[in-house]
Amino acid sequence: MISYLKGAVIAQGSDYIILETGGVGYKVFVGEKRIASFALGQTAELYCSLYIRKDETLELYGMDSLESLELFETLKGISGIGPKASLAICSLGTRNMLQEAISKGNASYFGSVRGLGQKKIQKIILELTGKLQKLGKEKKAEDQEAVEVLLALGFSRQRANEALAQLSAESASLSLEERVKQALKLIRR
């Protein structure tokens, strides 16, 4: 299973890039909004999901963070939602934005995803209601560890929670040590 790739972008299409890693080129499908951020020769890092089609074709789908990969896998697990639709939904915004749309039952949030009708959108909203909350709780446990470290360093719980809340979504894939370092930088400002 290929879960992570880092290498140079050697080609790109309308919905994929070819990433050269260790002398091998991997075709990785990425979200429409993300494709423009890649330039030829640029080094890119992607968290990947390997998908095996019925005709035994292997396809890689790449996300920019571990959080996005978890969301992609969760979406792909919903019957009737394939990897391309899952990737398109992941590209709509952050998990927090998706969670807000689901909690409000906002079907128009999914309107730009091709191939999703009202019934599938309602199914996504219904099935993700509980699943996203579980994913969020797992992240909260990681934040709790970081809070404990900041408390041990002498900061108040409120100050620690505020600093961790300010961290970007991309920092969720960082180690505990790196998250604490970033939080310390924010506290010092």
Side-chain angles (χ1 to χ4, degrees), residues 143 146-147 150-151 155-169 171 178-189:
D143 278 349
V147 168
L150 292 169
L151 287 173
F155 296 100
S156 71
R157 183 173 298 276
Q158 179 183 358
R159 187 96 167 145
N161 283 324
E162 286 172 0
L164 289 168
Q166 289 178 7
L167 294 179
S168 67
S171 67
E178 289 299 316
R179 287 178 56 74
V180 169
K181 282 181 186 177
Q182 285 190 359
L184 285 171
K185 287 177 186 175
L186 289 172
I187 289 173
R188 289 184 193 151
R189 287 185 187 168

Side-chain angles (χ1 to χ4, degrees), residues 43-115:
T43 299
E45 279 183 85
L46 293 171
Y47 293 90
C48 299
S49 177
L50 181 64
Y51 182 74
I52 303 171
R53 293 205 164 279
K54 290 180 182 175
D55 64 357
E56 297 183 15
T57 304
L58 303 176
E59 292 181 344
L60 279 173
Y61 292 85
M63 273 52 69
D64 56 353
S65 69
L66 207 49
E67 180 181 76
S68 295
L69 180 63
E70 289 172 351
L71 177 59
F72 174 83
E73 296 288 342
T74 302
L75 286 164
K76 199 173 68 168
I78 298 173
S79 68
I81 306 299
K84 297 235 181 197
S86 298
L87 187 62
I89 293 169
C90 286
S91 297
L92 292 175
T94 64
R95 187 175 74 200
N96 289 339
M97 292 168 67
L98 179 63
Q99 208 162 4
E100 185 177 326
I102 287 170
S103 68
K104 292 180 179 178
N106 183 3
S108 63
Y109 178 81
F110 302 93
S112 64
V113 178
R114 282 180 267 136

